[in-house]
Amino acid sequence: MEIKLRRAGTIYVIDITGEMDLYNAFKLKDIVLKMIGRQIKEYVINLENVEYLDSSGIGALLSVHAELKKRGMALVIANVKGSVKRVIELTKLNGYLPIAADVNEAVSRIRGMTSQ
Amino acid sequence: MNVGLFLPKVVPALFCIVMFAAVRRVSSVPALRFVAVIVAVMLARDVLHAFTGVISYFPLADLVIITLYVFWLRAYTGRTRFDVFYLALNALACAAGAVNIFIPFFSQIEFFLGIWLLVNVAYFAVLTGLVSSIDTEKADIVLRSRAVVSAALFIVSIVTLLYGYDHPLVQTLLLPASYLIPGWLLLNYNALQHAEGAQTIQFYSSNLDATYGFMENLGNAITAKIDLSRVLEMIITSAVRNIGGDAGSILMVDEYEDILRVKATYGIYPPLGPVPDLARVTPASLKKYFAETAIPIGQTVLGETVQSGKPNLIHDARQDERMRHNTADDILFVSSLAAIPLVVRNRALGVLSVLKRAENQYFDERDFQHLTTLAEYASITIDNLYTYTEVLEKREFERELDIAAQIQRKLLPDRLPDLERAELAVYNMPAKGVSGDYYDVFRLDDDTIGVAICDVAGKGIPAAMVMVMIRSILHLIVSSQRDAATTLNWINRGITGRIELDHYATIAFLIYDQKKREVLYSNAAHLPLLVHRQGTGTTFKLDTEGLPIGIEQDARYEQKRFSVEPGDVLILCTDGILEAMNTSGQQYGLGGLKRMVEKHAALPAADLVEAIRGDLVRFVGTARQQDDQTLLLLKAL
């Protein structure tokens, strides 16, 4: 799994590539915790290039979501599709996790939230 | 033939040849060629004179010789466009002189050539006078010999002009002595070679000393405790001290972003760019500002060094545009800088840099070489450290998985209860070192049993602890008085908020009444229940809504009640069964499971489980088992 960060204004887009599983899912948690420490408040997690997601990967998404929610920060997950989508649906989290079709939609949704 | 006039020239000519051979043996610079040709032309001139007695060749030969001197110098300074013109003029003069020997047309030509030779010598003297160590590479030989060579050439050309080449003293003293001019050059080459050799030896031995000292320190830092930041501190301290710098820093590329972060500093290392006034107030505030400000890759000399992967030596910061923020006489002043990329796993992952910060203090080529050696060693060390830490973490993780697997094995029931009107059978295969599946069967009263199947996300001891918690709560609360949805609700309330979200769990729970053949099923996001109807021979999925356990305190769970007939089969499993993969990457899937159930539904539960297990093992073949597999069957009788 590889994680890269890019910015869209005040929003940070976290691009994840590869397999997100038991052996590396903790990295996502680590980086988001570090970013919270740097006062970053708006996040998009882009799963476009994730080939495989297991229960640990879902666990990482859940804990990042909870951590940000607790602090009133914004998170939208983008590009949930294919096998990733199947796993999330199977775990019945598609209604629970904030999901957008793509990064653009995710970014505009966060902008909508913060402008209110 | 006039051997008497030739003999005095033999000894100095021999001296030149011997010197040339000696210098040539050690190293051969291209300019040396010109010196050899000069000696050869002189010899040819004197041999020709000895045989023919013709004196008119001398001015021509000397013109060729002075031209060769100019081109010898050009080998160091580089040629200019004017050289072609100069060569053409001399060629013309020589040609005129040569024609005049055979077809005399100008009686004063020898005087004219003598004057022209003098002009040439003056030109050579001016050219050598302009050479300085700044604009000329390896100017030492020119600086060392220019005064003597120019003066000697002047003397020779003036005396021959005044007294003529055929004067006995010119032939027996001056011309033999003129061999000492190239001889002097060769002597200087020789002396420089000796000095350089001594310097090289000194350099290598001091470099070795520094590297050994550095390795020793580093060895100590590493054995004490594996701590990358401490090792980096150690590296930068040694590097600064070794090359006599005033400050140093190590920056490493961020794991996720294309920026450099300061990992270690020594002394007061000013940022190499604009700095807000507030940060300039004290050395401490400057230090803090530098340590906390990330540098995008490609920006400032440091960012550039990482981007290009090539070292940067800025001898004099004032001469380098990139250092313009650090050349004013203030707290940011830098006089000289060396920055070397740290290349780990074939990628520039950082930069080690050392500064001089005192007026007129500069790093030289040798400091640069020292630092390059240290940086190479530091890169290897960092690489090793990364690998070592990875191996260590992996080993710890695997040990933890082993312990967790042991805990998990103890949580599973030893045997399943025997029922009068139903059969139970289970297949459970934990993946090596990984544990997450849990199942249990409870006897609630004479006629009812509770069946649970659970998969905890994540692995290791934290996951096993969640499993222990779920099992404890289940054992406390299961009862014939409590329905399936309530049981899941209670488990969720007991767990949520007490576990890390990474270790959420999916559970399916069902209560079966063997007398009424009635099923009450509730699911917390586990795989749906499979129901096989013996009457129709078909299998269908059954599911209820609800989030996994451990996420939301007030998650609601539904339940479904339905009846079964004798011969009907209820199948619970974990994703390890459905996602079991063969070597060509295909999954066993719901299809594989359904096919086997429908084909062998008539078998007793234990045999049916065995048939599915056998089919699964055949399907997977030699592929490695990725996840725990649990399959639990209940057959109504």
Side-chain angles (χ1 to χ4, degrees), chain B residues 530 573 575-581 586-595 616 619:
Chain B
L530 276 185
C573 70
D575 48 14
I577 299 275
L578 301 189
E579 288 170 11
M581 222 177 261
Q586 292 164 311
Q587 292 190 345
Y588 190 63
L590 195 62
L593 184 60
K594 258 169 133 174
R595 190 174 43 81
L616 188 64
F619 174 81

Side-chain angles (χ1 to χ4, degrees), chain B residues 375-540:
Chain B
E376 268 167 26
Y377 186 72
S379 299
I380 295 169
T381 307
I382 294 169
D383 192 7
N384 285 342
L385 221 56
Y386 277 169
T387 312
Y388 187 67
T389 315
E390 264 170 32
V391 169
L392 214 66
E393 275 171 5
K394 189 152 182 274
R395 201 195 293 160
E396 264 171 35
F397 187 56
E398 278 172 358
R399 230 186 56 151
E400 193 189 307
L401 288 181
D402 277 349
I403 296 171
Q406 282 173 31
I407 297 174
Q408 182 218 16
R409 272 198 293 279
K410 292 198 166 52
L411 296 180
L412 300 177
D414 294 335
R415 57 188 299 276
L416 302 178
D418 284 327
L419 301 171
E420 301 75 44
R421 294 184 204 173
E423 286 175 355
L424 280 168
V426 70
Y427 161 62
N428 170 253
M429 178 59 74
K432 190 183 176 303
V434 180
S435 62
D437 285 8
Y438 163 66
Y439 68 90
D440 219 335
V441 181
F442 309 87
R443 188 122 208 188
L444 302 181
D445 59 31
D446 283 353
D447 288 327
T448 55
I449 53 165
V451 178
I453 188 159
C454 167
D455 189 349
V456 180
K459 313 287 165 182
I461 290 175
M465 293 324 288
V466 173
M467 204 184 289
V468 170
M469 285 166 79
I470 290 175
R471 182 180 183 272
S472 310
I473 297 173
L474 255 177
H475 277 253
L476 274 173
I477 66 168
V478 287
S479 122
S480 54
Q481 311 303 312
R482 212 160 276 125
D483 64 28
T486 309
T487 305
L488 290 189
N489 249 317
W490 282 35
I491 295 173
N492 185 51
R493 281 172 194 277
I495 296 283
T496 306
R498 296 190 173 85
I499 61 161
E500 292 283 330
L501 274 179
D502 317 42
H503 301 300
Y504 73 88
T506 60
I507 305 183
F509 186 67
L510 67 81
I511 294 171
Y512 181 66
D513 186 324
Q514 58 170 341
K515 206 156 108 192
K516 295 190 211 158
R517 293 198 195 88
E518 201 179 66
V519 182
L520 185 61
Y521 167 77
S522 181
N523 186 15
H526 197 79
L527 288 174
L529 173 72
L530 276 185
V531 182
H532 176 77
R533 294 291 193 187
Q534 197 248 346
T536 59
T538 56
T539 313
F540 61 92

